[in-house]
Amino acid sequence: MDRTIGKNFIYNFLLSASQLLLPLITFPYASRVLLPEGMGSISFVENLTQYFMLFSALGIPIYGVREIAKVRQDKEKMSKLFSELLTIHFLVSMLMALCYWLLAINIAKLHMDLTLCKIGIGFVISNVFTIEWLFTGNENFKLIVFRSLAIRVFCIALLFLFVKSPEDKSIYYGINLFSLVFTAIINMYFARRYVNFRWKNLLLVPHIKQLLILLSITIITSLYVLMDTVLLGFFSTRIQVAFYAASLKISKLFLIIIGSLVGVLLPRLSSLLHDDKREEATLLLNKALRFSLLISVPLALGIICLSKELVMLISGKDFAEAALSLKILASVVIIISLAQIYYQILIPLNKEKYIMFASLAGVAVCVIFNLILIPIYQHIGSAISTVLTESIVTLLLFIFSQRLIKLTFPWKLLLQNMLVGFLFFGIRNLTYLYTEDTLTVLIVTVSGSVVVYMLLQWFFIKDHDIRELVQIASRKYGKVNV
């Protein structure tokens, strides 16, 4: 593995781990202080704000990474591209902010939380200047990670200091905005290392077509991702929705870890494919495919093994029934991790039309199977439908991407990882012989499983990729004696 990619993976993994762990600290505190009504208001406005941010971005977070990676050796071209994309994002965001404001003052349910909506408008505008696509395109993950970690820890301190009662919901949401603004200021400051912003001779129109295609893909993908919950709400009870939402949230938390690998691939692949270095790109993708299975398979088996404990710890005993749907959704971790690899082939090669086709197929499959299975199996039916939908989408992405770059699927590695992963169940059962405390079982099983998995991979399977990753980590953070 390229040493730079290895280090970027480690940096991005640290960022992903913080995204996974920090909400487990902040959410329980905030929900207990702000109570369901306060958290409900914030969630409502936050979801609305996310949609305005989605439309404002126009696909720039993906498009920007790809295009910056192509021209990063030429500061003049990169400065021009950066200026054009930042200008487009700013103009569209101001229009979206105006629409948001008009809705907030004219719709009663929004006007009730007008202060939160004002903060939401701040998110829409501030998001323009976070420009993480510039740093990702230049493969500067170190800045992104350590800046993000520092800001998140600082904002956690602000949360505990200033959010003390249900009336502090605006302060809570405002702290989140402060985090984004602070990030934007730091990023704009460091952007000067790479680009110089300019106002003259900007060509905005040539970017619009590709941006609209990427935006359409994002909207369609969001449609089939959200559709199952909506249909379950229509054809079942709110309790069933709660069970499914809990299991879905837990399973997707672990996808953040997989994203730490995929996030470092796009800029390098865009650069390699732009320079017509297909052989190097294929080697990198094959290695990424192996790494993906190396991480996703034990994660999926770990979720199945500890589904009851995860639900009890994160959602509480009232959500115990969600454990079964969580076991079903665990396979999504493997399926989506593979899909993300295939995305990294289609996006750099400007084959977004294939992604759109696969996403539309996903919408159709999602609707059909949810309508068939929900009346019979309730939240379990939604979980099965999600697995089927993601499987069809991933299969289509695989077929399309193989036409462009042929990857070798590591079936042997998949089987080896699954066999090793089955030992997790023995560790959990052994732990239960000594204690039935949920947290203790979770900690001991996870710790023991990680150690067993790494040792078997290192000494018996002798996996080259794990050895390479450990060597990169040891060079970066000090010697590791193994």
Side-chain angles (χ1 to χ4, degrees), residues 242-243 246-248 250-251 303 306-327 438 442:
F243 290 155
S247 59
L248 192 65
I250 294 170
S251 65
I303 294 170
L306 294 166
S307 58
K308 182 182 75 173
E309 291 77 13
L310 287 168
V311 169
M312 295 287 282
L313 181 68
I314 296 174
S315 301
K317 62 181 180 180
D318 293 333
F319 290 81
E321 286 189 42
L324 181 54
S325 54
L326 178 58
K327 287 183 179 181
T438 299
L442 198 61

Side-chain angles (χ1 to χ4, degrees), residues 118-188:
K118 290 178 181 178
I119 297 172
I121 292 171
F123 272 97
V124 174
I125 298 173
S126 301
N127 191 51
V128 176
F129 304 100
T130 56
I131 57 170
E132 294 201 343
W133 44 271
L134 172 65
F135 300 102
T136 303
N138 281 283
E139 298 191 69
N140 189 346
F141 289 89
K142 183 176 181 180
L143 173 65
I144 295 173
V145 171
F146 288 108
R147 180 221 64 208
S148 297
L149 287 173
I151 293 173
R152 283 174 184 164
V153 171
F154 182 62
C155 287
I156 288 175
L158 293 179
L159 170 68
F160 290 127
L161 284 172
F162 295 107
V163 179
K164 300 291 186 182
S165 70
E167 289 72 32
D168 294 334
K169 61 183 181 182
S170 296
I171 297 176
Y172 173 76
Y173 200 34
I175 290 172
N176 292 330
L177 175 59
F178 170 78
S179 172
L180 188 67
V181 171
F182 197 20
T183 297
I185 292 171
I186 293 175
N187 285 359
M188 289 299 290

Side-chain angles (χ1 to χ4, degrees), residues 189-380:
Y189 175 80
F190 282 104
R192 299 180 302 171
R193 296 180 179 179
Y194 300 101
V195 294
N196 297 313
F197 185 80
R198 60 180 64 178
W199 294 98
K200 296 181 179 179
N201 302 319
L202 299 183
L203 299 175
L204 308 183
V205 176
H207 300 292
I208 298 300
K209 181 181 178 181
Q210 284 295 313
L211 289 174
L212 289 176
I213 291 173
L214 287 170
L215 176 63
S216 300
I217 292 170
T218 304
I219 293 171
I220 293 169
T221 303
S222 299
L223 190 62
Y224 79 75
V225 167
L226 299 173
M227 185 68 71
D228 45 8
T229 304
V230 174
L231 291 173
L232 183 61
F234 272 111
F235 296 103
S236 187
T237 66
R238 292 294 183 267
I239 294 176
Q240 293 293 317
V241 173
F243 290 155
Y244 178 68
S247 59
L248 192 65
K249 180 178 181 180
I250 294 170
S251 65
K252 289 195 173 180
L253 274 175
F254 293 92
L255 283 171
I256 296 173
I257 298 175
I258 306 299
S260 63
L261 167 65
V262 177
V264 305
L265 292 179
L266 182 56
R268 180 59 59 90
L269 287 170
S270 295
S271 179
L272 289 174
L273 293 173
H274 181 259
D275 296 335
D276 200 27
K277 297 179 180 179
R278 288 292 183 103
E279 187 175 343
E280 287 184 47
T282 302
L283 289 173
L284 176 59
L285 284 162
N286 276 318
K287 189 171 287 290
L289 190 58
R290 295 195 299 273
F291 262 115
S292 180
L293 291 176
L294 201 64
I295 298 170
S296 64
V297 171
L299 278 177
L301 290 172
I303 294 170
I304 294 171
C305 176
L306 294 166
S307 58
K308 182 182 75 173
E309 291 77 13
L310 287 168
V311 169
M312 295 287 282
L313 181 68
I314 296 174
S315 301
K317 62 181 180 180
D318 293 333
F319 290 81
E321 286 189 42
L324 181 54
S325 54
L326 178 58
K327 287 183 179 181
I328 296 170
L329 288 169
S331 61
V332 170
V333 175
I334 300 174
I335 296 166
I336 293 182
S337 71
L338 294 175
Q340 290 178 341
I341 298 296
Y342 301 132
Y343 275 118
Q344 305 312 307
I345 297 174
L346 299 173
I347 291 176
L349 291 172
N350 298 342
K351 300 298 182 181
E352 290 86 356
K353 62 180 180 180
Y354 293 143
I355 300 176
M356 184 177 291
F357 180 82
S359 299
L360 286 171
V363 173
V365 171
C366 177
V367 171
I368 292 170
F369 280 101
N370 270 291
L371 290 177
I372 294 172
L373 296 175
I374 286 175
I376 305 171
Y377 300 110
Q378 306 290 295
H379 72 283
I380 303 300

Side-chain angles (χ1 to χ4, degrees), residues 25-97:
I25 300 172
T26 58
F27 183 77
Y29 176 81
S31 60
R32 285 165 174 77
V33 172
L34 300 177
L35 303 179
E37 185 177 351
M39 290 302 292
S41 295
I42 291 171
S43 297
F44 176 67
V45 173
E46 190 173 39
N47 286 337
L48 181 65
T49 301
Q50 288 295 326
Y51 275 103
F52 275 101
M53 291 170 68
L54 175 68
F55 279 95
S56 300
L58 280 179
I60 288 175
I62 297 174
Y63 180 80
V65 171
R66 184 181 73 192
E67 299 304 311
I68 286 290
K70 293 177 181 177
V71 298
R72 65 184 179 187
Q73 303 302 327
D74 189 327
K75 186 173 182 178
E76 186 69 19
K77 289 183 178 178
M78 187 162 61
S79 295
K80 184 175 183 296
L81 175 64
F82 170 79
S83 302
E84 290 168 348
L85 295 182
L86 187 67
T87 301
I88 292 171
H89 197 175
F90 177 75
L91 293 174
V92 177
S93 294
M94 293 306 295
L95 178 61
M96 289 295 104

Side-chain angles (χ1 to χ4, degrees), residues 306 427-428 430-432 435 438-450:
L306 294 166
I427 296 171
R428 183 203 61 188
L430 186 62
T431 305
Y432 265 114
T435 180
T438 299
L439 183 59
T440 303
V441 170
L442 198 61
I443 292 173
V444 172
T445 304
V446 170
S447 303
S449 298
V450 169

